[in-house]
Amino acid sequence: MGLEVDVTIHRGDFTVRAAFDVADGQTVALLGPNGAGKSTLVEAIAGLVPVGGGSIRLDGAEIHELPPERRPIGIAFQDALLFPRLSVLENVAFPLRARGGRADAARAAAREVLTELAAGVPADAKPAKLSGGQRQRVALARALVAEPRLLLLDEPLAAVDASGRPELRSLLRRTLAGFAGPRVLVSHDPVESMTLADRIVVLEGGRVTQVGTPEEIRAQPRTRYAADLVGVNLFEGTLRPLEDGAAALDTPDGQVIVALPAGMAPFPAGAVVRGRLSPTDVSIHVRPPEGSPRNVFPGTVEEIAILGDRGRVRLRTTPPLVAEVTVGSIERLGLEPGDEVWATFKAVEVQVMEQTPAPDTL
């Protein structure tokens, strides 16, 4: 039946209010900035943090008042949290031993899951002798050894160096695909979330601001944070009509000229609207552009991220922009952080829509 979460959690002065569900065989990623409440929410599901209100149901049964050891949950934390004095084998066998299992049976089950998830990791080694990737493999094995109904992964790649992430990400993908119950993945990494999750719950400031598939989040980010994650330019402000069907979208960060499609119903006076602009529609110039494009923004290159044969260029302009161009274009223009540039885009490329307030939970 899956997992149903509808809770309020108080942690000092910070409150998390969230509702979402996860079906059997589905991976939901909790995505948000540091301090958004992601780990607090997962710890409440695991029974490590008390729930101030609401309920947590697994297969229709309320579990939020059960102690952690009675919840059929496997959890792997971002820093692994392995017992430093226990060997790899004893760490993985621990959940079975804690439930009263025989030592020989627990070790046999631990060896089996280690062979599947952490082949090559010495079973008699202590955690301090392992790499970050090896520790996460052991933590994942420990989370799965007791055959839980629910799997919680709290930023499993955060403590792994960049060279080891692709391999561990592939292992996580296979592991999640083979787990029949609901899976919850905590992350602040959009690549991790977009590649591993079936649905994404965006959490900001302790509130759910958007829920959707990775494709839906990419196509229609509802907040600036979500837009920044997926590399979409999102402008929010009010419209002032101009000539020839154009309008000025006045935002706190600057003005953008947009074209209103023919036949579009007029927005109410003072209505807050959003303008969405694909980074592929932003052009970069190293000299002032010729002609008279409606949107020209001088600024500097803030950051360049290479993604395969494409480069995502973050620009310090007013408003801030992200452009996506080929690696060849970056090399041809000689772009480097700190360079002075001009960014341009057409008014017709900005998709305009009325802004609706994001509810606390979706």
Side-chain angles (χ1 to χ4, degrees):
M1 296 176 61
L3 174 70
E4 299 170 86
V5 177
D6 187 353
V7 294
T8 299
I9 308 160
H10 303 290
R11 205 167 194 177
D13 295 333
F14 185 67
T15 298
V16 177
R17 176 74 183 97
F20 64 93
D21 59 82
V22 191
D24 280 344
Q26 185 180 69
T27 299
V28 165
L30 299 180
L31 181 63
N34 291 334
K38 306 183 300 296
S39 293
T40 295
L41 186 52
V42 163
E43 289 169 3
I45 296 171
L48 305 177
V49 172
V51 171
S55 66
I56 302 171
R57 295 175 178 269
L58 185 58
D59 297 332
E62 293 188 346
I63 65 169
H64 55 278
E65 293 185 352
L66 295 177
E69 64 273 14
R70 292 187 56 195
R71 303 187 188 195
I73 296 173
I75 183 168
F77 294 98
Q78 59 179 297
D79 50 4
L81 292 183
L82 301 177
F83 299 111
R85 296 185 179 182
L86 297 183
S87 68
V88 164
L89 182 66
E90 295 298 340
N91 261 284
V92 177
F94 180 82
L96 297 174
R97 296 282 287 133
R99 296 180 185 185
R102 294 185 2 252
D104 56 347
R107 293 191 185 105
R111 285 193 183 93
E112 183 177 348
V113 72
L114 279 169
T115 298
E116 181 180 354
L117 298 177
V121 178
D124 59 349
K126 297 294 178 64
K129 299 294 185 180
L130 306 181
S131 68
Q134 288 175 324
R135 285 194 292 271
Q136 281 299 346
R137 287 173 178 268
V138 175
L140 185 59
R142 186 176 63 180
L144 291 169
V145 70
E147 299 182 351
R149 273 290 298 133
L150 168 65
L151 182 61
L152 304 178
L153 303 177
D154 188 357
E155 302 206 34
L157 301 181
V160 181
D161 60 47
S163 62
R165 287 187 180 185
E167 184 179 356
L168 187 56
R169 187 179 288 120
S170 296
L171 174 65
L172 284 173
R173 186 181 294 108
R174 295 193 302 272
T175 301
L176 291 169
F179 186 80
R183 295 95 62 155
V184 177
L185 169 71
V186 177
S187 179
H188 67 271
D189 183 337
V191 174
E192 187 176 303
S193 299
M194 298 291 177
T195 57
L196 295 176
D198 301 301
R199 291 170 61 235
I200 293 173
V201 175
V202 181
L203 196 66
E204 301 177 60
R207 298 293 186 271
V208 175
T209 56
Q210 188 168 5
V211 176
T213 65
E215 293 74 20
E216 290 168 343
I217 302 293
R218 285 193 194 98
Q220 296 290 344
R222 294 190 61 178
T223 67
R224 171 62 66 85
Y225 168 77
D228 286 345
L229 283 178
V230 299
V232 172
N233 296 290
L234 190 68
F235 315 111
E236 296 182 351
T238 56
L239 283 181
R240 289 186 296 106
L242 301 175
E243 75 287 352
D244 301 329
L249 176 53
D250 294 318
T251 81
D253 297 319
Q255 182 187 96
V256 175
I257 305 301
V258 302
L260 301 180
M264 173 181 283
F267 291 109
V272 176
V273 301
R274 290 183 297 164
R276 179 183 179 276
L277 173 69
S278 170
T280 58
D281 291 325
V282 179
S283 299
I284 300 176
H285 308 263
V286 293
R287 286 183 287 276
E290 298 178 356
S292 55
R294 299 300 297 267
N295 290 292
V296 181
F297 301 96
T300 59
V301 175
E302 183 174 3
E303 181 184 19
I304 300 175
I306 304 301
L307 306 168
D309 63 348
R310 308 287 294 180
R312 186 164 291 170
V313 184
R314 191 171 295 276
L315 302 169
R316 190 178 289 114
T317 51
T318 306
L321 294 169
V322 175
E324 185 176 315
V325 297
T326 65
V327 171
S329 295
I330 293 174
E331 294 173 348
R332 177 174 53 81
L333 296 172
L335 296 181
E336 294 183 357
D339 286 352
E340 292 187 1
V341 294
W342 286 260
T344 67
F345 55 88
K346 298 177 181 178
V348 296
E349 303 293 355
V350 182
Q351 179 185 1
V352 179
M353 65 209 84
E354 188 169 2
Q355 170 70 22
T356 56
D360 285 348
T361 58
L362 299 176

